[in-house]
Structures are given as C-alpha cells and as structure tokens.
Amino acid sequence: MSADRFGAAYYRRFYEQDPVHTATTIGHLAQAVMSLSTWWGIRVGSALDVGAGPGFWRDWFREHHPTVHYVSTDVSEYACKQYAHDQRDISQWAPGKPFDLVVCHGVLQYLNNEQASAAILNLATATGHLLYLEVPTKHDHEHVIDAGSTDLDCHWRSGDWYRRRLAPHFLQVGAGLWAQRSGAVPFYELESC
Ligand SMILES: C[S@@+](CC[C@H](N)C(=O)[O-])C[C@H]1O[C@@H](n2cnc3c(N)ncnc32)[C@H](O)[C@@H]1O
C-alpha cells in the first residue's frame, strides 16, 4: 500500500468530518492502559507509537506523563510533517532497543499479508512489556464496525491469522493488550487468554 494514500484528505476524512475516535476518547483509553500497567507493576518509562496518525496518544502522554520518553512514528510523509512524527514503516523497521509500551492502533489492516507478518515481528522486537494493539478483522468488518466512519479499503483477515503470528511473542491479556512473553509480569491464569 502506497504511503501517498495517507495524505491530507485521509486525515480530514477520518479525523475531522466523521471521526472514528477523538483526542477525548483516546485519552480514556490511554488512561486505562496506564492504570493497568501500574496495577501489574509495569513502570512505563518509554513508549513507542506506531502509525501515530494525528498523534492523539502522543499528545495525551505529553500532557499527563511528560517524563515518559515517547517516540511517535508513521509511514506517511504528510502525517510526519503535520503531526511531528519520525517517518518509519513498521513492516521494515524495528527500534534498536525495546520500549516499555508500544501502541499500534488501527494500522496493521493497511498492510498486506507479508508486510503485516513482518510488522508483527518488528512489534515483538519493539515491545519490552506491553503492546496495545487494535486491528479490525474480517469478523469485525461483517459484524462490528461502523461502516460510515471506518475506512473499509483495507486487508480483512481473520482474528486467528493475527493470533497465530502474535502468540509466539505475546500473551493476549484482553482489551487490546498483549504482554511480551519475555516480560516479567506473572499474570493469573484467568487474567489472560
Ligand atoms: C487509522 S490511522 C491510525 C492513526 C492512529 N494510530 C490513531 O489510532 O488515531 C492509520 C495510520 O497508520 C499509518 N500507517 C499505515 N501503514 C503504516 C506502516 N507500514 N508503518 C507505519 N505506519 C503506517 C498511516 O499513515 C495512518 O496514519
């Protein structure tokens, strides 16, 4: 998928006209993720945002956790200039050292199978403790998403397709959270899937 696809018109359409989410709704989610991290004893000193788009997560962290070392990235040249991110393609790049928290919100559905598989490997390398991952699946396309406000021009894969690739690296905790298997958190049996 071409990076040109993510130009000004894309962000206007999905973040201004009929937004799929807003800075306020992302704030609630980010707060919940940080609260659960604290509950599990994970100190989030660094965070990586992959495909950060308008940068709502980054802005929330700047305001509420200014001491967290926060790196936001996106493949789109437009988004990187407009919203101040580092230009990276997650299917081709992983950081040199892991971040405590990685956010990948609404990104992998834009990648083809080969790119998405490579991106998951890079997310595994990038994640020290927790990954927040949201990616709509084929099932979501058919039964869950609001077709009026969601971009439907994506790759629609099954949940199992993603689970097979995530499971060697992550324990699925729920609510979009995946714990790095090499991380130190001892989850109770019924706390995770
Ligand atoms: C639906 S937006 C999500 C933006 C943000 N994460 C959010 O939830 O508000 C998808 C974003 O993924 C970015 N993206 C698409 N393919 C990417 C890739 N291979 N690597 C990094 N970012 C990518 C796009 O440029 C776009 O900004």
Side-chain angles (χ1 to χ4, degrees):
M1 193 160 292
S2 156
D4 298 345
R5 169 180 182 169
F6 303 103
Y10 173 87
Y11 296 97
R12 236 186 349 263
R13 163 68 182 84
F14 292 106
Y15 290 96
E16 288 174 27
Q17 285 166 5
D18 187 11
V20 66
H21 50 238
T22 64
T24 303
T25 57
I26 291 297
H28 293 308
L29 175 58
Q31 176 66 66
V33 168
M34 284 301 275
S35 294
L36 279 170
S37 301
T38 305
W39 163 245
W40 289 319
I42 298 169
R43 191 193 147 269
V44 175
S46 62
L48 172 69
D49 194 342
V50 169
F56 294 150
W57 281 83
R58 186 265 325 273
D59 295 347
W60 184 86
F61 268 83
R62 269 200 191 147
E63 186 179 347
H64 298 276
H65 295 277
T67 60
V68 171
H69 170 57
Y70 199 96
V71 174
S72 58
T73 66
D74 202 287
V75 77
S76 155
E77 189 180 346
Y78 172 84
C80 291
K81 283 198 182 127
Q82 183 73 12
Y83 307 113
H85 309 309
D86 296 345
Q87 194 171 10
R88 307 281 190 201
D89 177 345
I90 192 58
S91 70
Q92 297 179 19
W93 170 86
K97 60 179 191 163
F99 288 73
D100 297 322
L101 170 69
V102 173
V103 174
C104 184
H105 193 161
V107 178
L108 294 187
Q109 72 269 27
Y110 290 107
L111 281 59
N112 67 28
N113 287 0
E114 194 185 335
Q115 293 167 329
S117 299
I120 288 169
L121 287 177
N122 287 332
L123 290 172
T125 301
T127 305
H129 294 291
L130 275 184
L131 166 67
Y132 173 79
L133 176 69
E134 187 200 85
V135 50
T137 64
K138 193 166 178 297
H139 175 275
D140 300 328
H141 183 213
E142 287 159 12
H143 303 286
V144 182
I145 59 171
D146 174 356
S149 62
T150 308
D151 190 0
L152 302 178
D153 185 14
C154 298
H155 296 272
W156 298 104
R157 290 175 281 255
S158 69
D160 280 347
W161 189 96
Y162 287 102
R163 280 196 202 92
R164 273 198 302 279
R165 285 158 181 80
L166 289 158
H169 314 284
F170 298 100
L171 181 69
Q172 185 169 10
V173 182
L177 285 170
W178 298 74
Q180 170 62 256
R181 286 195 184 275
S182 63
V185 183
F187 291 98
Y188 280 122
E189 183 180 359
L190 298 183
E191 209 175 3
S192 61
C193 308

PDB file of all heavy atoms in Angstrom, residues 31 46 70 72 81 85 87 99 126-129 150 152 155 167 173 176 181 191:
ATOM      1  N   GLN A  31      -5.496   6.367  29.477  1.00  0.00           N
ATOM      2  CA  GLN A  31      -5.554   6.358  30.949  1.00  0.00           C
ATOM      3  C   GLN A  31      -5.734   4.928  31.464  1.00  0.00           C
ATOM      4  O   GLN A  31      -5.089   4.504  32.429  1.00  0.00           O
ATOM      5  CB  GLN A  31      -6.718   7.245  31.421  1.00  0.00           C
ATOM      6  CG  GLN A  31      -6.934   7.243  32.927  1.00  0.00           C
ATOM      7  CD  GLN A  31      -5.767   7.882  33.662  1.00  0.00           C
ATOM      8  OE1 GLN A  31      -5.533   9.072  33.518  1.00  0.00           O
ATOM      9  NE2 GLN A  31      -5.030   7.095  34.421  1.00  0.00           N
ATOM     10  N   SER A  46       9.100   4.454  28.863  1.00  0.00           N
ATOM     11  CA  SER A  46       9.257   4.751  27.436  1.00  0.00           C
ATOM     12  C   SER A  46       8.084   4.145  26.670  1.00  0.00           C
ATOM     13  O   SER A  46       7.557   3.096  27.041  1.00  0.00           O
ATOM     14  CB  SER A  46      10.581   4.172  26.922  1.00  0.00           C
ATOM     15  OG  SER A  46      10.597   2.763  27.064  1.00  0.00           O
ATOM     16  N   TYR A  70       8.665   9.369  24.825  1.00  0.00           N
ATOM     17  CA  TYR A  70       7.624   8.962  23.873  1.00  0.00           C
ATOM     18  C   TYR A  70       8.097   9.210  22.445  1.00  0.00           C
ATOM     19  O   TYR A  70       8.421  10.329  22.063  1.00  0.00           O
ATOM     20  CB  TYR A  70       6.341   9.763  24.129  1.00  0.00           C
ATOM     21  CG  TYR A  70       5.107   9.110  23.535  1.00  0.00           C
ATOM     22  CD1 TYR A  70       4.292   8.296  24.310  1.00  0.00           C
ATOM     23  CD2 TYR A  70       4.784   9.291  22.200  1.00  0.00           C
ATOM     24  CE1 TYR A  70       3.170   7.677  23.769  1.00  0.00           C
ATOM     25  CE2 TYR A  70       3.670   8.673  21.644  1.00  0.00           C
ATOM     26  CZ  TYR A  70       2.870   7.870  22.446  1.00  0.00           C
ATOM     27  OH  TYR A  70       1.754   7.260  21.905  1.00  0.00           O
ATOM     28  N   SER A  72       6.915   8.850  18.515  1.00  0.00           N
ATOM     29  CA  SER A  72       5.777   8.578  17.630  1.00  0.00           C
ATOM     30  C   SER A  72       6.280   8.461  16.195  1.00  0.00           C
ATOM     31  O   SER A  72       7.133   9.240  15.751  1.00  0.00           O
ATOM     32  CB  SER A  72       4.719   9.684  17.753  1.00  0.00           C
ATOM     33  OG  SER A  72       5.273  10.945  17.453  1.00  0.00           O
ATOM     34  N   LYS A  81       5.092  15.304   8.860  1.00  0.00           N
ATOM     35  CA  LYS A  81       5.311  16.758   8.834  1.00  0.00           C
ATOM     36  C   LYS A  81       4.232  17.480   9.638  1.00  0.00           C
ATOM     37  O   LYS A  81       4.499  18.371  10.431  1.00  0.00           O
ATOM     38  CB  LYS A  81       5.275  17.261   7.392  1.00  0.00           C
ATOM     39  CG  LYS A  81       6.549  16.968   6.634  1.00  0.00           C
ATOM     40  CD  LYS A  81       6.654  17.854   5.392  1.00  0.00           C
ATOM     41  CE  LYS A  81       7.922  17.503   4.616  1.00  0.00           C
ATOM     42  NZ  LYS A  81       7.661  17.218   3.215  1.00  0.00           N
ATOM     43  N   HIS A  85       6.018  13.385  13.624  1.00  0.00           N
ATOM     44  CA  HIS A  85       6.445  12.018  13.944  1.00  0.00           C
ATOM     45  C   HIS A  85       7.732  11.692  13.179  1.00  0.00           C
ATOM     46  O   HIS A  85       8.059  12.360  12.197  1.00  0.00           O
ATOM     47  CB  HIS A  85       5.385  10.991  13.513  1.00  0.00           C
ATOM     48  CG  HIS A  85       3.997  11.273  13.987  1.00  0.00           C
ATOM     49  ND1 HIS A  85       3.705  11.545  15.307  1.00  0.00           N
ATOM     50  CD2 HIS A  85       2.796  11.312  13.314  1.00  0.00           C
ATOM     51  CE1 HIS A  85       2.389  11.736  15.427  1.00  0.00           C
ATOM     52  NE2 HIS A  85       1.820  11.618  14.250  1.00  0.00           N
ATOM     53  N   GLN A  87       9.481   9.362  10.483  1.00  0.00           N
ATOM     54  CA  GLN A  87       8.926   8.584   9.375  1.00  0.00           C
ATOM     55  C   GLN A  87       9.519   7.173   9.368  1.00  0.00           C
ATOM     56  O   GLN A  87      10.717   6.995   9.129  1.00  0.00           O
ATOM     57  CB  GLN A  87       9.165   9.272   8.028  1.00  0.00           C
ATOM     58  CG  GLN A  87       8.316   8.647   6.933  1.00  0.00           C
ATOM     59  CD  GLN A  87       8.353   9.419   5.631  1.00  0.00           C
ATOM     60  OE1 GLN A  87       9.152  10.337   5.477  1.00  0.00           O
ATOM     61  NE2 GLN A  87       7.494   9.046   4.699  1.00  0.00           N
ATOM     62  N   PHE A  99      10.860  -0.662  23.892  1.00  0.00           N
ATOM     63  CA  PHE A  99      10.123   0.338  24.672  1.00  0.00           C
ATOM     64  C   PHE A  99       9.211  -0.406  25.661  1.00  0.00           C
ATOM     65  O   PHE A  99       8.715  -1.488  25.348  1.00  0.00           O
ATOM     66  CB  PHE A  99       9.259   1.194  23.738  1.00  0.00           C
ATOM     67  CG  PHE A  99      10.045   2.155  22.891  1.00  0.00           C
ATOM     68  CD1 PHE A  99      10.807   1.711  21.826  1.00  0.00           C
ATOM     69  CD2 PHE A  99      10.029   3.523  23.179  1.00  0.00           C
ATOM     70  CE1 PHE A  99      11.529   2.597  21.041  1.00  0.00           C
ATOM     71  CE2 PHE A  99      10.762   4.416  22.397  1.00  0.00           C
ATOM     72  CZ  PHE A  99      11.505   3.947  21.321  1.00  0.00           C
ATOM     73  N   ALA A 126      10.122  -4.595  19.316  1.00  0.00           N
ATOM     74  CA  ALA A 126       9.987  -3.246  19.889  1.00  0.00           C
ATOM     75  C   ALA A 126       9.400  -3.240  21.300  1.00  0.00           C
ATOM     76  O   ALA A 126       9.566  -2.269  22.033  1.00  0.00           O
ATOM     77  CB  ALA A 126       9.098  -2.394  18.974  1.00  0.00           C
ATOM     78  N   THR A 127       8.697  -4.321  21.675  1.00  0.00           N
ATOM     79  CA  THR A 127       7.922  -4.302  22.928  1.00  0.00           C
ATOM     80  C   THR A 127       8.697  -4.906  24.091  1.00  0.00           C
ATOM     81  O   THR A 127       9.018  -6.105  24.087  1.00  0.00           O
ATOM     82  CB  THR A 127       6.597  -5.091  22.743  1.00  0.00           C
ATOM     83  OG1 THR A 127       5.890  -4.553  21.622  1.00  0.00           O
ATOM     84  CG2 THR A 127       5.735  -4.985  23.987  1.00  0.00           C
ATOM     85  N   GLY A 128       8.955  -4.096  25.104  1.00  0.00           N
ATOM     86  CA  GLY A 128       9.599  -4.594  26.316  1.00  0.00           C
ATOM     87  C   GLY A 128       8.598  -5.297  27.218  1.00  0.00           C
ATOM     88  O   GLY A 128       8.864  -6.377  27.747  1.00  0.00           O
ATOM     89  N   HIS A 129       7.429  -4.680  27.405  1.00  0.00           N
ATOM     90  CA  HIS A 129       6.436  -5.244  28.332  1.00  0.00           C
ATOM     91  C   HIS A 129       5.053  -5.376  27.721  1.00  0.00           C
ATOM     92  O   HIS A 129       4.485  -6.451  27.697  1.00  0.00           O
ATOM     93  CB  HIS A 129       6.356  -4.379  29.600  1.00  0.00           C
ATOM     94  CG  HIS A 129       7.607  -4.399  30.404  1.00  0.00           C
ATOM     95  ND1 HIS A 129       8.041  -5.517  31.085  1.00  0.00           N
ATOM     96  CD2 HIS A 129       8.543  -3.448  30.617  1.00  0.00           C
ATOM     97  CE1 HIS A 129       9.190  -5.259  31.686  1.00  0.00           C
ATOM     98  NE2 HIS A 129       9.528  -4.005  31.421  1.00  0.00           N
ATOM     99  N   THR A 150     -15.644   4.177   9.345  1.00  0.00           N
ATOM    100  CA  THR A 150     -14.413   3.378   9.291  1.00  0.00           C
ATOM    101  C   THR A 150     -13.943   3.235   7.849  1.00  0.00           C
ATOM    102  O   THR A 150     -14.758   3.083   6.940  1.00  0.00           O
ATOM    103  CB  THR A 150     -14.683   1.968   9.876  1.00  0.00           C
ATOM    104  OG1 THR A 150     -15.284   2.126  11.157  1.00  0.00           O
ATOM    105  CG2 THR A 150     -13.402   1.164  10.016  1.00  0.00           C
ATOM    106  N   LEU A 152     -12.940   1.275   4.917  1.00  0.00           N
ATOM    107  CA  LEU A 152     -13.194  -0.129   4.555  1.00  0.00           C
ATOM    108  C   LEU A 152     -12.200  -0.652   3.520  1.00  0.00           C
ATOM    109  O   LEU A 152     -12.178  -1.845   3.230  1.00  0.00           O
ATOM    110  CB  LEU A 152     -14.622  -0.274   4.000  1.00  0.00           C
ATOM    111  CG  LEU A 152     -15.733   0.163   4.948  1.00  0.00           C
ATOM    112  CD1 LEU A 152     -17.091   0.014   4.283  1.00  0.00           C
ATOM    113  CD2 LEU A 152     -15.687  -0.642   6.241  1.00  0.00           C
ATOM    114  N   HIS A 155      -7.130  -4.598   4.359  1.00  0.00           N
ATOM    115  CA  HIS A 155      -6.992  -6.050   4.261  1.00  0.00           C
ATOM    116  C   HIS A 155      -7.777  -6.668   5.413  1.00  0.00           C
ATOM    117  O   HIS A 155      -7.458  -6.416   6.580  1.00  0.00           O
ATOM    118  CB  HIS A 155      -5.516  -6.447   4.350  1.00  0.00           C
ATOM    119  CG  HIS A 155      -4.703  -5.917   3.203  1.00  0.00           C
ATOM    120  ND1 HIS A 155      -4.547  -6.597   2.017  1.00  0.00           N
ATOM    121  CD2 HIS A 155      -4.045  -4.746   3.056  1.00  0.00           C
ATOM    122  CE1 HIS A 155      -3.810  -5.890   1.183  1.00  0.00           C
ATOM    123  NE2 HIS A 155      -3.496  -4.751   1.798  1.00  0.00           N
ATOM    124  N   ALA A 167       1.019 -14.962  18.905  1.00  0.00           N
ATOM    125  CA  ALA A 167       1.152 -15.882  20.046  1.00  0.00           C
ATOM    126  C   ALA A 167       2.581 -16.299  20.382  1.00  0.00           C
ATOM    127  O   ALA A 167       2.901 -16.464  21.564  1.00  0.00           O
ATOM    128  CB  ALA A 167       0.281 -17.118  19.812  1.00  0.00           C
ATOM    129  N   VAL A 173      -3.767 -10.471  26.761  1.00  0.00           N
ATOM    130  CA  VAL A 173      -4.308 -10.137  28.082  1.00  0.00           C
ATOM    131  C   VAL A 173      -5.784  -9.766  27.975  1.00  0.00           C
ATOM    132  O   VAL A 173      -6.580 -10.078  28.852  1.00  0.00           O
ATOM    133  CB  VAL A 173      -3.505  -8.979  28.716  1.00  0.00           C
ATOM    134  CG1 VAL A 173      -4.034  -8.657  30.102  1.00  0.00           C
ATOM    135  CG2 VAL A 173      -2.028  -9.307  28.775  1.00  0.00           C
ATOM    136  N   GLY A 176      -7.286  -5.458  23.966  1.00  0.00           N
ATOM    137  CA  GLY A 176      -6.255  -4.916  23.077  1.00  0.00           C
ATOM    138  C   GLY A 176      -4.847  -5.000  23.642  1.00  0.00           C
ATOM    139  O   GLY A 176      -3.893  -4.639  22.960  1.00  0.00           O
ATOM    140  N   ARG A 181       6.063 -12.003  26.060  1.00  0.00           N
ATOM    141  CA  ARG A 181       6.283 -13.262  26.782  1.00  0.00           C
ATOM    142  C   ARG A 181       7.574 -13.242  27.592  1.00  0.00           C
ATOM    143  O   ARG A 181       7.677 -13.904  28.621  1.00  0.00           O
ATOM    144  CB  ARG A 181       6.295 -14.449  25.807  1.00  0.00           C
ATOM    145  CG  ARG A 181       4.913 -14.803  25.300  1.00  0.00           C
ATOM    146  CD  ARG A 181       4.867 -16.179  24.648  1.00  0.00           C
ATOM    147  NE  ARG A 181       3.547 -16.444  24.102  1.00  0.00           N
ATOM    148  CZ  ARG A 181       2.518 -16.941  24.798  1.00  0.00           C
ATOM    149  NH1 ARG A 181       2.668 -17.228  26.075  1.00  0.00           N
ATOM    150  NH2 ARG A 181       1.350 -17.150  24.218  1.00  0.00           N
ATOM    151  N   GLU A 191      -6.552 -14.176  34.180  1.00  0.00           N
ATOM    152  CA  GLU A 191      -6.385 -12.764  33.853  1.00  0.00           C
ATOM    153  C   GLU A 191      -6.074 -12.581  32.358  1.00  0.00           C
ATOM    154  O   GLU A 191      -6.185 -11.507  31.820  1.00  0.00           O
ATOM    155  CB  GLU A 191      -5.208 -12.220  34.699  1.00  0.00           C
ATOM    156  CG  GLU A 191      -5.300 -10.757  35.043  1.00  0.00           C
ATOM    157  CD  GLU A 191      -4.162 -10.339  35.977  1.00  0.00           C
ATOM    158  OE1 GLU A 191      -3.289 -11.165  36.306  1.00  0.00           O
ATOM    159  OE2 GLU A 191      -4.153  -9.159  36.351  1.00  0.00           O
TER     160      GLU A 191
END
